[in-house]
Amino acid sequence: MPDAELLIAFVLAAAVFAYMPGPSTLYAAAQTIARGRRGGLLAASGIHLGGYVHVAAAALGLAVLFEAVPVLYTAMKLAGAVYLLWLGFRFASARQTPDMHVSVPTDTRPSHRAFWESAAVEILNPKTAIFYVAFLPQFTDPGAGLPLWGQLLILGTFVNLMFSSADLLCVLLAERITASVRRSPGAARWANRLGGGILIGLGVNLAVSR
């Protein structure tokens, strides 16, 4: 493994990337706003699982395909964008549930659906794969006893855990902010629209970004 000085630089850099507001934290917040704390926690867990797919791809060298085959990168990026847009419009058009005075998507009450949707969103984001390919090799040591793929796997797992801790923090903060307003039918309806709007914005950003 890399020496202590390089590992300290790695931890600091990973923390900066993890705790800067980004797509995954905004996504986790949007899920929390629309589905509540349990939905947000399931979403953060799904993102975490999807992150391991990218870590494994980086360790095995599969993520390099996105750089070598631009069409594959574009196709996967657009698929992820369309999925985000679909989720956003579904949240934004959610119907109000009168007996609970809370507006939720009729088929999206906090359930494992949030987990698998979020895992799919993360897996379909090729920018995450490119990030791991660009970031992790800077902190590996070719002369170490551990193979390069093993170093990438360990470093990537740490980064994924760091990012997930930021997502969980975002879920808790979003839940505290929205808990009081969800008692009002009108405010709850707007909370769903806000959550859907964030997802739509993320989808548009993913589609137009390079």
Side-chain angles (χ1 to χ4, degrees), residues 4-195:
E5 185 176 334
L6 192 59
L7 284 176
I8 292 174
F10 165 73
V11 171
L12 292 176
V16 170
F17 279 113
Y19 285 93
M20 282 194 309
S24 67
T25 52
L26 289 175
Y27 178 87
Q31 290 281 354
T32 306
I33 291 170
R35 285 173 161 162
R37 180 174 61 180
R38 184 165 181 262
L41 292 174
L42 285 169
S45 300
I47 294 172
H48 185 70
L49 175 65
Y52 283 123
V53 173
H54 291 298
V55 170
L60 297 174
L62 299 178
V64 178
L65 286 173
F66 289 124
E67 296 179 329
V69 186
V71 173
L72 179 61
Y73 174 86
T74 301
M76 193 167 183
K77 182 184 71 168
L78 291 177
V82 169
Y83 192 53
L84 278 170
L85 290 170
W86 176 74
L87 288 176
F89 280 116
R90 191 177 66 178
F91 280 8
S93 61
R95 295 181 179 180
Q96 182 182 339
T97 307
D99 58 332
M100 294 181 67
H101 300 290
V102 175
S103 176
V104 295
T106 54
D107 63 341
T108 55
R109 296 180 187 280
S111 67
H112 291 294
R113 176 188 288 268
F115 176 85
W116 293 113
E117 286 177 350
S118 304
V121 166
E122 180 69 0
I123 292 170
L124 288 173
N125 185 2
K127 297 181 73 173
T128 303
I130 296 299
F131 166 78
Y132 279 114
V133 170
F135 180 71
L136 296 181
Q138 302 177 56
F139 303 98
T140 58
D141 181 4
L146 193 65
L148 185 60
W149 67 265
Q151 295 181 52
L152 291 171
L153 196 61
I154 293 173
L155 294 174
T157 298
F158 179 85
V159 171
N160 196 30
L161 288 169
M162 185 78 77
F163 271 80
S164 292
S165 69
D167 293 341
L168 290 174
L169 179 61
C170 195
V171 167
L172 296 178
L173 290 175
E175 193 274 335
R176 288 181 65 87
I177 293 172
T178 59
S180 58
V181 302
R182 294 190 72 87
R183 299 190 184 96
S184 166
R189 183 169 58 251
W190 280 104
N192 267 350
R193 291 177 179 175
L194 175 60

Side-chain angles (χ1 to χ4, degrees), residues 73 77 127 205-210:
Y73 174 86
K77 182 184 71 168
K127 297 181 73 173
N205 179 70
L206 180 59
V208 303
S209 63
R210 295 183 178 181

